């Protein structure tokens, strides 16, 4: 079957889910989008605008919004799950009664469930009978996608059917979907980069320059890939769109919600004030605490996460984050070519011999 005529369901009424629904619909798919809010559903179907998240974007005429989850999921071949991580399991558990083993489920959520350090695709595997599970991640600012800015993304799954169907349904003249078989690495990249967007926003508020931002982004890449590889991801994944690509955009753009949280913290606002001013979910806030705890438990060296955690949750002034970056142990640049432990050993040897 070609992408023409695919039946696509979108769970979630946020900006990214709305943009993806329109892309699939404009390509000829039958698209139904589930939202909780009946008033917003009515406005979308009447005015073709999601005024809560993308107020200037006209939704494709053939996208049908509904609060009836069974109706939305009925005979859908591809289901895009665009639910914030806090509510992800709850919504998926509710949807599971209408999901079949042959339906393709693709998570677009960049987050981690706290209780058992569970990724969103793992929740899909745990809660549904689907045999086709993947993730979509990359440098995907929804407002730019809505403006039809050229954008690349990655669909990751060990299942070729999932990768192919998602590419067919969503690739168009301005949104190109690449394939990966490292679902865990792609998904971790999408979750971890949110942490460093907060750090980048904070650095910007503190007046740090381009040299600093370049160092911050590359050390963030080293840190997040170190963590992900320790969890079983492929280090090469982080050279692609879901790694360095997503990290660059989220650490450089005021459109990034996590970057804006960092800006507010750097201006002296409390974490609570920063979140309130944002008015939307910034997944990186919870991810900082999760990764700090996991890294401590598994003895993974993450000085940026540690410094950011102290600023956000322990009342340490924002400029401390810079000290965490500059005063960490002297180490290697790319530790997959020169292991950090080897550099540490050389320092110890020279110190003991002098």
């Amino acid at each position: 079957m070609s992408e023409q005529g695919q039946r696509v369901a979108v769970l979630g009424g946020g900006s990214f889910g709305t943009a993806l629904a329109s892309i699939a619909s404009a390509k000829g798919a039958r698209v139904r989008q589930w939202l909780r809010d009946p008033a917003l559903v009515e406005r979308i179907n009447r005015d073709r605008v999601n005024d809560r998240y993308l107020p200037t974007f006209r939704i494709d005429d053939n996208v049908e919004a509904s609060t009836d989850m069974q109706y939305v999921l009925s005979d859908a071949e591809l289901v895009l799950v665009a639910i914030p991580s806090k509510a992800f399991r709850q919504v998926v558990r509710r949807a599971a009664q209408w999901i079949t083993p042959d339906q393709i489920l693709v998570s677009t959520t960049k987050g981690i469930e706290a209780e058992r350090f569970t990724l969103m695709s793992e929740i899909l595997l745990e809660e549904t009978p689907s045999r086709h599970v993947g993730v979509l991640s990359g440098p995907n600012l929804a407002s730019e996608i809505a403006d039809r800015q050229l954008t690349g993304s990655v669909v990751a799954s060990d299942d070729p059917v999932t990768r192919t169907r998602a590419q067919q349904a969503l690739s168009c003249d301005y949104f190109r979907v690449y394939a990966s078989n490292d679902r865990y690495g792609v998904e971790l990249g999408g979750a971890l980069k949110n942490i460093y967007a907060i750090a980048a926003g904070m650095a910007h508020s503190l007046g740090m320059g381009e040299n600093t931002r370049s160092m911050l982004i590359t050390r963030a890449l080293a840190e997040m890939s170190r963590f992900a590889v320790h969890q079983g991801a492929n280090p090469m994944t982080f050279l692609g769109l879901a790694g360095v690509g997503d990290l660059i955009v989220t650490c450089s753009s005021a459109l990034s919600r996590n970057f804006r949280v960092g800006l507010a913290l750097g201006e002296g606002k409390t974490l609570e004030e920063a979140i309130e001013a944002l008015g939307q979910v910034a997944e990186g806030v919870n991810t900082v605490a999760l990764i700090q705890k996991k890294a401590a438990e598994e003895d993974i060296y993450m000085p940026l996460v540690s410094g950011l955690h102290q600023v956000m949750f322990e009342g340490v002034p924002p400029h401390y984050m810079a000290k965490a970056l500059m005063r960490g142990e002297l180490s290697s640049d790319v530790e997959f070519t020169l292991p950090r432990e080897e550099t540490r050993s050389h320092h110890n040897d020279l110190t003991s011999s002098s």
Side-chain angles (χ1 to χ4, degrees):
M1 182 189 66
S2 70
E3 68 270 22
Q4 298 299 316
Q6 273 202 67
R7 298 182 296 276
V8 177
V10 179
L11 299 183
S15 53
F16 193 39
T18 298
L20 293 177
S22 270
I23 288 173
S25 180
K27 292 199 66 184
R30 187 211 71 187
V31 180
R32 295 172 180 167
Q33 183 177 10
W34 176 81
L35 299 87
R36 295 179 187 272
D37 185 350
L40 183 55
V41 164
E42 182 181 353
R43 294 196 300 275
I44 288 174
N45 288 333
R46 182 189 65 224
D47 303 328
R48 314 313 304 166
V49 173
N50 184 335
D51 52 22
R52 184 172 299 166
Y53 294 106
L54 289 174
T56 63
F57 172 61
R58 179 173 175 79
I59 297 169
D60 189 81
D61 288 340
N62 294 317
V63 174
E64 181 183 2
S66 175
T67 58
D68 186 341
M69 186 180 288
Q70 182 178 5
Y71 172 70
V72 168
L73 291 170
S74 175
D75 75 0
E77 296 155 302
L78 173 64
V79 181
L80 304 175
V81 188
I83 302 293
S85 61
K86 276 191 172 181
F88 195 93
R89 186 182 292 273
Q90 176 188 6
V91 172
V92 169
R93 185 171 286 171
R94 177 183 167 192
Q97 60 189 304
W98 301 300
I99 290 172
T100 69
D102 292 330
Q103 283 179 308
I104 296 167
L105 307 184
V106 176
S107 167
T108 72
T109 300
K110 297 175 178 179
I112 301 170
E113 186 182 59
E115 286 73 16
R116 292 186 291 116
F117 200 84
T118 310
L119 300 181
M120 301 302 104
S121 66
E122 293 175 320
I123 293 175
L124 294 177
L125 290 167
E126 290 174 1
E127 297 289 347
T128 79
S130 175
R131 299 172 302 188
H132 306 284
V133 169
V135 298
L136 186 74
S137 189
N140 301 154
L141 298 173
S143 59
E144 289 196 357
I145 297 171
D147 288 339
R148 300 197 169 199
Q149 298 284 344
L150 303 183
T151 301
S153 192
V154 180
V155 59
S157 176
D158 54 9
D159 170 39
V161 174
T162 298
R163 299 193 299 264
T164 303
R165 289 286 185 247
Q167 285 184 295
Q168 290 176 339
L170 298 174
S171 292
C172 64
D173 289 345
Y174 61 91
F175 189 73
R176 182 171 176 82
V177 181
Y178 296 83
S180 169
N181 60 0
D182 184 15
R183 174 173 54 84
Y184 201 72
V186 165
E187 193 163 13
L188 268 178
L192 292 169
K193 58 89 186 180
N194 289 323
I195 294 173
Y196 304 104
I198 297 175
M202 197 182 302
H204 184 81
S205 278
L206 294 172
M208 297 179 183
E210 297 301 319
N211 286 348
T212 307
R213 184 171 68 170
S214 176
M215 180 170 64
L216 177 62
I217 289 174
T218 50
R219 296 325 302 162
L221 182 64
E223 191 165 297
M224 63 192 275
S225 59
R226 179 188 308 131
F227 180 89
V229 169
H230 191 274
Q231 306 304 315
N234 186 330
M236 299 303 291
T237 295
F238 292 84
L239 297 180
L241 283 165
V244 67
D246 204 1
L247 185 64
I248 288 171
V249 74
T250 201
C251 288
S252 306
S253 174
L255 295 174
S256 162
R257 290 172 294 197
N258 294 286
F259 185 88
R260 297 206 302 273
V261 168
L263 282 175
L265 291 171
E267 291 167 355
K269 291 184 173 64
T270 65
L271 181 59
E272 292 73 21
E273 290 169 341
I275 295 171
E276 184 179 356
L278 182 65
Q280 298 183 49
V281 175
E283 294 280 5
V285 173
N286 294 323
T287 307
V288 170
L290 284 177
I291 299 300
Q292 164 71 5
K293 182 174 183 291
K294 188 76 168 176
E297 289 173 351
E298 300 189 8
D299 193 27
I300 305 171
Y301 181 61
M302 302 189 78
L304 282 172
V305 168
S306 178
L308 193 57
H309 186 273
Q310 290 179 295
V311 171
M312 293 172 65
F313 299 106
E314 301 173 33
V316 172
H319 68 267
Y320 180 84
M321 185 190 66
K323 293 182 180 179
L325 177 61
M326 299 305 292
R327 295 183 179 177
E329 66 177 41
L330 296 174
S331 187
S332 54
D333 181 21
V334 180
E335 60 190 78
F336 302 115
T337 60
L338 176 61
R340 185 169 59 88
E341 291 76 12
E342 186 175 335
T343 305
R344 179 194 296 165
S345 175
H346 292 160
H347 279 279
N348 292 338
D349 289 346
L350 283 175
T351 300
S352 61
S353 64
S354 61

